[in-house]
Amino acid sequence: GIYVFFGTSKGQVHAVHVSTQKIVCSVKLSSSTVNTISRNPRGTDIVTNSSDRILRVCQVVLPAEEGSGSALGGNTMPAKLEPSISATTKIQDIVNRVHWIQAVFSSSGDYIVSGIEHKAEHNIYVWDKFSGSLVKMLTGPNELLEDFAVHPLRPIYASISTFGIIYLWTRVPQQNWNAFAPGFRELEENVDFVEPEDQFDRRITMQNGSIVDCAEDRILREKRAANAAVEGDMDIDVDITDDDPLFSDSDSETSDDGFLLSVAVDCDENLLPPTVTPSSAAVVAASEMEASAVEQGTTIIES
C-alpha cells in the first residue's frame, strides 16, 4: 500500500508514492492507451493491457519504507538500487489480433490470464509469464465475456457473460484406477463384451469344499495325453472315465462304484473247517430211493 500505479493515454505507466503524492518513477511502454494494470500478489512485477492489443509484463523495482520489505513484497531492496519499471515480456495473439478485456496474474504468479473482447466468443487465455507462449485456451459458450476474476490461492477462475451467467473454471483431477486395481484397463469409449462359453464354469466347488478350475484341469489332461501319444507309451483305460461335472447328466449327487474285479485270496488250509465227504454206499441208497419215489409219484423231503 505504499505506491499506486496508473497508466495514461500516451502509453506511460507512473508509480506514485501515497504519502508524498509524488511520481517516483515512470516508463513509456507504447504510444497506445493503457487500459488496465494488475499487480502480481506473489512477486514484484505488473502486467498492463494496452489498446495496441499487446500485454506487457513489467518488472518493478521501488524503494521500501524503513523496517519493511520491498514495495511489492519480497526482500528489502538495496539502498543504492534506483527505482525503475522495465518491460520484460510482450504477449499478443498474432493470428487473431483480438482485443483484451483485462489481464491478471494467476494464483501462483507464474501465468498471465486474459479474456478476449468478442461478441460471439467466451474464451480465456492462459500465457506463460516468462516466455510469453500460450499454455491453455479455455473455450466457453457463444456469449460475450464481460469480466472475469482469479482465485487468490487456488487454480479457479470465474467469468460472467453478457446474459448475467457466471461460469467457474477449474482443473478436473485425473483418477488413476491402476493404483487401486493393478489389472484395471480404462476404456475411452464403450466396447461390446463377448461372453466366453466357460465364463461362469471355470471354477466349481466340490462336495468336500475344494475348488476345481475346470479349464486348467482340462488343459493339463490334454497336455498329458499329447505327451504320452508322442512318447508312444499311452495306456488306454476303457473301464474308468473322468467325472467331469460340466458335462454330467446325472441328477444323483453320488457317483457309482464302477466295475469291480474278483480277487483271489490265499488262506492257510489249517485254519479252514474240516470237510465231510459222504460214503459211496449212502450215495447209492439215496439215488435208489429217489428213483422209486419218482415211479410211485411220492415226494421226498430232505432234512
Side-chain angles (χ1 to χ4, degrees):
I2 303 175
Y3 299 95
V4 175
F5 298 90
F6 67 92
T8 65
S9 59
K10 297 181 179 180
Q12 295 179 345
V13 176
H14 302 284
V16 179
H17 197 281
V18 175
S19 302
T20 62
Q21 297 183 359
K22 294 182 178 181
I23 298 177
V24 178
C25 64
S26 61
V27 62
K28 184 177 178 60
L29 300 178
S30 65
S31 59
S32 302
T33 303
V34 178
N35 297 326
T36 60
I37 300 176
S38 294
R39 185 180 68 88
N40 187 359
R42 298 181 181 273
T44 59
D45 46 3
I46 60 175
V47 59
T48 63
N49 174 27
S50 303
S51 299
D52 58 357
R53 308 173 186 180
I54 299 177
L55 306 177
R56 294 176 175 86
V57 180
C58 302
Q59 185 68 30
V60 179
V61 178
L62 294 174
E65 298 290 340
E66 295 183 359
S68 63
S70 62
L72 297 181
N75 299 327
T76 304
M77 187 192 72
K80 297 182 180 180
L81 192 61
E82 296 181 358
S84 63
I85 301 175
S86 59
T88 57
T89 308
K90 292 183 178 181
I91 301 173
Q92 61 178 334
D93 189 354
I94 302 177
V95 179
N96 299 322
R97 300 286 298 174
V98 295
H99 288 276
W100 307 105
I101 295 178
Q102 69 165 333
V104 297
F105 285 89
S106 63
S107 58
S108 62
D110 297 332
Y111 301 96
I112 304 297
V113 184
S114 59
I116 65 174
E117 185 178 357
H118 194 278
K119 61 181 180 180
E121 292 183 0
H122 192 99
N123 299 340
I124 298 177
Y125 292 75
V126 181
W127 309 86
D128 189 350
K129 181 184 72 173
F130 302 99
S131 63
S133 59
L134 180 63
V135 178
K136 185 71 174 179
M137 183 179 69
L138 306 178
T139 305
N142 297 329
E143 301 173 4
L144 175 63
L145 177 63
E146 291 288 346
D147 198 0
F148 70 94
V150 178
H151 194 280
L153 300 177
R154 299 180 181 180
I156 301 175
Y157 308 147
S159 62
I160 183 171
S161 67
T162 186
F163 297 105
I165 303 176
I166 299 176
Y167 298 95
L168 296 178
W169 307 81
T170 184
R171 183 177 59 183
V172 179
Q174 299 293 333
Q175 298 180 352
N176 186 13
W177 294 101
N178 293 329
F180 303 96
F184 185 80
R185 182 170 62 96
E186 297 182 3
L187 300 177
E188 297 181 358
E189 58 182 4
N190 294 333
V191 176
D192 294 336
F193 175 73
V194 180
E195 179 183 341
E197 295 182 359
D198 55 350
Q199 173 71 21
F200 302 100
D201 300 335
R202 293 180 179 178
R203 301 176 66 87
I204 295 180
T205 305
M206 307 302 291
Q207 294 182 356
N208 55 2
S210 61
I211 300 176
V212 178
D213 194 333
C214 299
E216 294 181 359
D217 185 64
R218 188 179 298 106
I219 292 174
L220 291 176
R221 290 201 304 268
E222 292 177 356
K223 288 183 179 180
R224 292 173 184 173
N227 295 334
V230 171
E231 296 177 0
D233 56 351
M234 182 175 59
D235 296 334
I236 300 177
D237 190 356
V238 297
D239 294 332
I240 301 176
T241 58
D242 295 335
D243 187 10
D244 194 343
L246 295 178
F247 305 101
S248 177
D249 57 353
S250 177
D251 296 335
S252 61
E253 297 180 357
T254 59
S255 59
D256 298 334
D257 295 335
F259 179 74
L260 301 178
L261 298 176
S262 60
V263 180
V265 181
D266 297 334
C267 299
D268 190 0
E269 295 181 356
N270 297 328
L271 300 178
L272 295 176
T275 304
V276 179
T277 304
S279 59
S280 59
V283 174
V284 172
S287 59
E288 291 179 354
M289 290 178 59
E290 184 178 357
S292 60
V294 171
E295 293 178 356
Q296 297 177 2
T298 60
T299 303
I300 299 177
I301 299 176
E302 296 181 357
S303 59

